[in-house]
Amino acid sequence: MVITHGVGPMREYVLGASLFDLEDPTIEIGRLKSPLIMPNAEEREGYVPNVVYSCGSIIQNNDLIIPYAMSDYASTYATVNLGDLLTELKNSNR
């Protein structure tokens, strides 16, 4: 699994996720159809507006914990159920 960083319309930076085959990482198994994390109303304003970005993530028990910065003024984290995320990624290309 790779947590991705991208920009969409109106310069809104978001985080997404893709899942690749362990044996052949050139094969993408799935990709989220919508962002995993996007700036909410409270995270939009700052030195660089409409931006969320992360430098990594960790797995704790059954959760993916994603620390991220928002608009270059603060940081926080999100937790995502790993099983639910993997299911969504595996079913995203169907």
Side-chain angles (χ1 to χ4, degrees):
M1 181 184 329
V2 175
I3 303 300
T4 60
H5 180 249
V7 62
M10 306 301 292
R11 292 185 45 104
E12 180 179 65
Y13 288 77
V14 300
L15 298 178
S18 293
L19 185 64
F20 295 90
D21 185 280
L22 282 174
E23 300 298 321
D24 183 356
T26 64
I27 299 172
E28 184 179 50
I29 295 170
R31 179 186 307 187
L32 292 181
K33 292 180 168 92
S34 58
L36 181 62
I37 300 174
M38 57 192 299
N40 64 36
E42 296 172 2
E43 300 170 337
R44 289 185 192 280
E45 299 303 319
Y47 182 71
V48 180
N50 287 335
V51 174
V52 294
Y53 54 91
S54 180
C55 293
S57 55
I58 35 178
I59 296 173
Q60 173 69 33
N61 297 323
N62 294 320
D63 289 322
L64 178 66
I65 301 170
I66 307 168
Y68 68 95
M70 47 192 164
S71 297
D72 279 343
Y73 80 91
S75 60
T76 188
Y77 68 93
T79 59
V80 179
N81 180 278
L82 189 57
D84 292 345
L85 179 56
L86 288 171
T87 298
E88 184 71 25
L89 286 165
K90 289 176 185 176
N91 294 326
S92 66
N93 285 338
R94 294 183 181 167

